[in-house]
Amino acid sequence: MEIIVCIKQVPDTEELHKVKINSETRTLIREGIKNIINPFDENAIEEALRLREKIGGRVTVISMGPPQAETSLRKALAMGVDRAILLSDKSFAGSDTLATSYTLAMAIKKLGKFDLILSGKQAIDGDTAQVGPGLAEWLNLPQITYARKIEVNEKKIRAERTLEDSFELVESPLPALITVTKEINEPRYPSLKGVLRARKEKIIIWTAKDLKINEKRTGLEGSATRVIKVFTPPSPSGGEIISGETSKVAENLIKKLEEHRII
Amino acid sequence: MIIKKNKDEIISYLEDSSNVKGGKAETLYVPENEKEVLEAVKECASKRVPLTISAGGTGTVGGRVPFGGRILSVEGLNKIICVDEKRKRAILQSGVIISDFLKILEPKNLFYPPFPTERTAFIGGNVATNASGEYSFRFGCTRKYIRRIKVILSTGELIEIERGKYFASKDGYLRIAEKKIKIPSYISPPIKNSAGYFSHPEMDLIDLFIGSEGTLGVITEVEVELIPAFSSPFIMIIFLKEEKILNLLGEIKESKKISPLCLEYFDKHSLEFLKEDFPDIPEGAREALYIEEEESEDILEEWVNLMESYPVIDTWISQDRATYERLINFRHKLAENINNYFRKIKLTKVALDIAVPENSFRELFNFYKNIRLNNPRIETVLFGHIGENHLHFNFFPRDEKEREEVIKIYQEAIKKGVKLGGTISAEHGVGKIKHKYLEMMYGKKGVMEMVRVKKEIDPFCIFGLDNIFSKSLLRS
């Protein structure tokens, strides 16, 4: 089984507060920030590895991003994927979900035959949850989003699709695109041999030219989204510190809460 | 100076991380400078009132638990006086919290090598207990990094001791102020050790105070040596399906290409205690080894080579901060889960903290294994700092009868450890709970020599009563 996993490198959750915004392009400035694999995408990698262990095949990981996204691809290799491809080109910069899914689709077309595409349900930085579905559209594939469990047999895939208070059981022919939630599995730790292999393995890098893409459809130019304004909301000011003896403080606090009709 | 007499405000100072019960005190002093410390000490000395020194409360042997008298908390002495980046030194007041100190050091690319696991500990507590830390396999214990201390004695003197300045004479005398003090005749084992006063021919005076568990004076200021920060380490956990750890350990220690920060051992029962947090622990794993080290290709390759001939089922490696933080719990969660279990079965912990010299470790390890073979009914876990020949062997007696059996085994093990040239307490200290075993280590004579040193330095016998030895010995 040929499995493709699309992953995104995102700022480490601990570093999110350090992310600045480029006021001209209104996109995130990611330089100097520690990065991780988008956590949901790690679940997608894990699921791909489990499928390969069960029914055999090959797992290819693709990521579009700046050269430093290589570290995330190496981590995927350390976890045990067979090959890693980085789509990196200046012309890709500033892509929105439409342009990103187009670029990824072109890379997958270049790869040729495949049975399944997996990715996380959304990225923790943009939180759009659009690239997976967009990719399925570009490739004209059936898609199942928010899968919390999947089962593959013969040419079919069955997935439990998470809803707010229940789940749907959905069946689709293959090839298909599935986006997964955190519940689907617990990602493995890389092994020693995996880490060592990942350090030595060559990462395949494809540029716009390699993909033969229409450059008007990628990057800022290919993006349908226009960001008009980005700003950090002002932090609330005011507040009051009540100090003194514990019992007096408590009394005082209750009085204030009552005054403001909170209790 | 803040002085508290209200019971509610004192109550949290009556305990630490041990289960030592019965703490009581009438007054709590929280001095904010040396002058105030001196005031409190003089007041207690003149009234002959016991004074227990209190730091972060992370100790596990009841060192700061007062049995009457007053408490002096050093929490108000919390200034980081200076960090000299050039000389790699820092001067701190004794109440500085380790985590605060580490935060200041990080942007300066410096590191405090004792790196205790409990980051809420105080620097003064580290010195008073000669604390070990997460990386003591590579760096050693606190003692090694203490360059200078200031101590207030019960005689009202403030003394400053710089390492390398005051040594014991050839005939075994140390000078403190105007006094000549004979050092104990035993020699402290040259291993990780926190049992009793340090003693060695021609020893440095500073080493007497390091690890003295608050029985000699109040440490108010500490100068520590720092090292350059190193790149963030990775964690590797190696799971073995056969018990081959000692051989693997030998090869690791011999290898010139690697230099782990720590080597932590987990037996099968420890792994059971971790299954809840780490359900993916491979079935059939009999032992595990946890290491931390800086990552490089050469180092990783050497690890692959080392493990080639061993029955490794799986290895886990952290590759980023998120997995590092998940895997570090492998080490931290175990102690927590064991303590919770003890609480559940409602019995106090029976835990061995023996370390022995390198060439005796195999014998101790096999001795522990035989204890298990001969007492299959008794539940145990064996884990800890195998790199330093120092394991924690914990027992879980189910009832009083089993507890009695366990105490017997415990004493046998202590005897064995001492016979092998080891220590009864490698890192926890003696505090209020290991007096009896200290005597097994140094003999009655050794303990009485410590008592003599104590009485000469603290003639009013006010500091840290019942720490290291029973206060009843001070009357003789």
Side-chain angles (χ1 to χ4, degrees):
Chain A
M1 187 175 206
E2 280 288 344
I3 308 169
I4 295 168
V5 186
C6 297
I7 69 170
K8 183 181 189 185
Q9 187 175 58
V10 295
D12 190 339
T13 37
E14 289 264 297
E15 305 251 320
L16 278 179
H17 64 283
K18 294 189 203 158
V19 177
K20 299 258 167 359
I21 292 159
N22 180 332
S23 56
E24 230 165 77
T25 60
R26 301 188 187 93
T27 51
L28 302 180
I29 302 172
R30 294 168 193 272
E31 278 81 43
I33 302 288
K34 273 190 202 148
N35 293 302
I36 55 171
I37 297 180
N38 175 42
F40 301 114
D41 297 345
E42 237 182 277
N43 294 99
I45 295 170
E46 176 63 32
E47 203 55 28
L49 294 173
R50 289 186 188 189
L51 281 175
R52 187 189 66 188
E53 276 155 18
K54 225 161 135 188
I55 50 183
R58 177 162 67 161
V59 178
T60 305
V61 168
I62 305 181
S63 185
M64 182 181 109
Q68 65 260 31
E70 199 184 304
T71 53
S72 289
L73 288 169
R74 291 211 185 272
K75 190 186 168 194
L77 284 167
M79 286 173 78
V81 305
D82 298 283
R83 56 179 175 162
I85 302 170
L86 174 64
L87 313 181
S88 197
D89 195 302
K90 281 219 163 71
S91 65
F92 299 161
S95 291
D96 70 350
T97 56
L98 181 72
T100 303
S101 55
Y102 166 75
T103 313
L104 284 169
M106 292 306 285
I108 290 170
K109 277 185 184 159
K110 182 176 159 77
L111 274 174
K113 206 182 146 303
F114 63 90
D115 300 292
L116 180 64
I117 302 175
L118 288 169
S119 81
K121 65 168 177 139
Q122 69 199 62
I124 58 163
D125 54 355
D127 272 333
T128 63
Q130 289 172 354
V131 172
L135 184 53
E137 285 308 306
W138 286 111
L139 295 170
N140 200 19
L141 289 177
Q143 55 173 297
I144 306 173
T145 50
Y146 305 105
R148 63 170 206 189
K149 191 178 169 191
I150 59 174
E151 246 172 73
V152 174
N153 49 31
E154 303 279 314
K155 283 272 138 198
K156 273 184 192 156
I157 185 161
R158 222 177 221 233
E160 286 182 11
R161 185 169 182 272
T162 313
L163 301 178
E164 253 176 42
D165 51 0
S166 58
F167 70 87
E168 277 176 337
L169 192 60
V170 187
E171 199 176 77
S172 156
L174 289 174
L177 180 138
I178 315 286
T179 73
V180 303
T181 65
K182 214 149 185 51
E183 295 77 61
I184 195 162
N185 57 42
E186 181 68 37
R188 70 192 56 194
Y189 299 101
S191 72
L192 176 58
K193 283 190 176 153
V195 171
L196 205 55
R197 189 191 132 234
R199 282 175 157 265
K200 294 180 171 167
E201 192 89 6
K202 223 181 142 228
I203 305 261
I204 304 160
I205 297 175
W206 284 348
T207 61
K209 216 166 132 200
D210 295 318
L211 299 182
K212 298 196 184 84
I213 61 173
N214 179 349
E215 291 202 15
K216 289 207 164 105
R217 286 200 177 278
T218 191
L220 263 183
E221 206 186 338
S223 296
T225 314
R226 289 285 169 267
V227 179
I228 293 161
K229 191 181 172 193
V230 183
F231 63 96
T232 315
S235 43
S237 58
E240 188 182 342
I241 294 168
I242 309 173
S243 54
E245 230 174 276
T246 317
S247 55
K248 290 263 161 58
V249 169
E251 241 171 65
N252 211 340
L253 177 64
I254 290 170
K255 220 165 78 197
K256 294 225 183 264
L257 291 174
E258 277 171 349
E259 266 171 29
H260 288 83
R261 294 172 181 273
I262 294 166
I263 53 172
Chain B
M1 171 161 49
I2 301 165
I3 298 174
K4 293 176 177 173
K5 290 183 184 280
N6 193 330
K7 232 178 168 180
D8 294 348
E9 290 177 305
I10 295 182
I11 196 157
S12 63
Y13 296 84
L14 302 180
E15 52 182 31
D16 61 5
S17 298
S18 69
N19 260 333
V20 171
K21 302 262 186 316
K24 57 176 198 269
E26 48 171 80
T27 304
L28 166 71
Y29 298 104
V30 188
E32 281 168 26
N33 53 50
E34 278 164 355
K35 206 175 131 246
E36 291 180 353
V37 175
L38 205 56
E39 244 171 71
V41 168
K42 277 184 177 163
E43 190 174 319
C44 291
S46 68
K47 294 183 176 146
R48 308 287 189 267
V49 177
L51 183 62
T52 300
I53 305 157
S54 180
T58 58
T60 59
V61 291
R64 78 156 192 178
V65 178
F67 290 162
R70 301 177 185 183
I71 303 167
L72 186 148
S73 169
V74 295
E75 69 195 80
L77 302 172
N78 57 4
K79 283 183 213 60
I80 297 174
I81 298 167
C82 84
V83 178
D84 185 338
E85 293 176 54
K86 248 195 178 151
R87 287 175 65 230
K88 299 195 183 61
R89 294 278 178 90
I91 300 172
L92 320 165
Q93 286 189 317
S94 56
V96 169
I97 300 169
I98 297 301
S99 58
D100 293 344
F101 183 36
L102 292 171
K103 244 179 258 158
I104 297 283
L105 292 181
E106 209 189 319
K108 299 182 192 294
N109 278 319
L110 290 169
F111 186 68
Y112 170 63
F115 198 49
T117 311
E118 282 79 20
R119 311 272 205 276
T120 55
F122 293 1
I123 183 75
N126 278 191
V127 178
T129 59
N130 185 28
S132 312
E134 298 202 25
Y135 299 154
S136 55
F137 174 64
R138 190 193 285 178
F139 299 129
C141 306
T142 303
R143 184 181 303 283
K144 226 175 124 182
Y145 300 92
I146 304 304
R147 304 303 310 178
R148 187 178 57 85
I149 54 173
K150 276 164 106 177
V151 187
I152 288 176
L153 304 176
S154 64
T155 45
E157 287 142 307
L158 170 76
I159 57 169
E160 191 164 350
I161 311 172
E162 199 178 324
R163 184 175 291 285
K165 262 194 165 167
Y166 313 102
F167 294 99
S169 59
K170 287 223 161 62
D171 55 348
Y173 286 92
L174 280 168
R175 269 186 184 282
I176 299 176
E178 292 310 306
K179 279 180 215 152
K180 245 178 104 180
I181 292 155
K182 178 112 176 96
I183 62 170
S185 58
Y186 59 80
I187 296 177
S188 298
I191 53 172
K192 187 179 184 184
N193 176 30
S194 68
Y197 295 155
F198 180 88
S199 181
H200 196 272
E202 295 176 64
M203 66 183 280
D204 194 311
L205 174 60
I206 199 169
D207 284 324
L208 178 65
F209 285 87
I210 299 170
S212 61
E213 300 191 38
T215 59
L216 299 179
V218 184
I219 298 166
T220 55
E221 196 181 294
V222 180
E223 183 171 341
V224 299
E225 196 176 313
L226 304 167
I227 61 167
F230 40 90
S231 58
S232 41
F234 73 100
I235 296 172
M236 174 165 65
I237 302 172
I238 303 162
F239 296 95
L240 295 171
K241 60 176 175 239
E242 286 167 42
E243 295 180 3
K244 294 275 188 201
I245 191 71
L246 289 187
N247 294 351
L248 176 58
L249 191 68
E251 288 197 38
I252 291 170
K253 284 184 173 176
E254 263 167 39
S255 168
K256 300 242 164 5
K257 294 186 185 149
I258 52 172
S259 165
L261 290 152
C262 58
L263 290 170
E264 299 288 308
Y265 172 75
F266 299 80
D267 75 340
K268 192 166 181 301
H269 300 83
S270 312
L271 297 179
E272 300 285 330
F273 268 99
L274 284 166
K275 276 255 160 91
E276 203 181 303
D277 305 289
F278 295 89
D280 294 335
I281 290 175
E283 281 298 317
R286 297 286 295 273
E287 300 180 313
L289 186 66
Y290 169 111
I291 70 128
E292 283 191 48
E293 192 164 9
E294 295 110 298
E295 189 175 328
S296 83
E297 209 156 294
D298 289 349
I299 286 172
L300 291 171
E301 249 161 32
E302 176 66 357
W303 278 104
V304 172
N305 291 340
L306 281 172
M307 289 191 294
E308 202 97 282
S309 53
Y310 289 91
V312 176
I313 311 183
D314 202 0
T315 50
W316 292 353
I317 287 196
S318 71
Q319 280 281 278
D320 48 31
R321 189 197 51 80
T323 44
Y324 180 86
E325 273 168 23
R326 251 185 283 156
L327 284 182
I328 206 165
N329 269 329
F330 203 88
R331 181 173 181 180
H332 293 171
K333 265 276 176 171
L334 179 64
E336 195 182 314
N337 291 356
I338 288 174
N339 285 340
N340 286 340
Y341 183 71
F342 271 122
R343 222 165 287 143
K344 210 171 97 197
I345 62 173
K346 289 190 175 128
L347 277 167
T348 18
K349 185 151 137 176
V350 184
L352 285 164
D353 179 34
I354 296 173
V356 293
E358 186 88 33
N359 55 8
S360 307
F361 185 64
R362 186 175 285 268
E363 196 174 334
L364 183 72
F365 193 73
N366 290 332
F367 180 80
Y368 283 168
K369 278 195 175 168
N370 280 332
I371 288 180
R372 275 198 167 146
L373 277 178
N374 299 333
N375 302 279
R377 280 182 309 114
I378 296 173
E379 225 186 313
T380 55
V381 284
L382 182 60
F383 67 97
H385 326 298
I386 199 163
E388 295 141 274
N389 308 308
H390 170 212
L391 292 178
H392 298 295
F393 196 15
N394 288 6
F395 299 85
F396 304 100
R398 267 163 295 214
D399 49 42
E400 271 313 308
K401 195 176 148 275
E402 254 188 38
R403 191 176 164 79
E404 273 168 36
E405 281 172 55
V406 163
I407 298 288
K408 258 188 224 146
I409 296 169
Y410 186 93
Q411 289 176 349
E412 285 302 308
I414 296 260
K415 262 189 217 155
K416 182 79 182 175
V418 171
K419 209 174 127 204
L420 292 174
T423 174
I424 57 135
S425 185
E427 66 178 356
H428 293 164
V430 177
K432 303 201 165 58
I433 61 180
K434 292 191 174 175
H435 299 169
K436 196 162 74 187
Y437 309 116
L438 187 71
E439 200 179 313
M440 288 165 81
M441 183 170 167
Y442 293 118
K444 182 91 185 168
K445 180 173 170 245
V447 174
M448 289 317 290
E449 285 172 340
M450 288 185 219
V451 170
R452 182 176 44 72
V453 170
K454 151 86 178 172
K455 280 162 82 175
E456 283 175 46
I457 297 176
D458 174 21
F460 307 116
C461 291
I462 59 168
F463 287 128
L465 295 193
D466 280 311
N467 276 357
I468 306 183
F469 30 75
S470 157
K471 68 172 167 240
S472 61
L473 295 178
L474 295 170
R475 283 189 222 112
S476 52

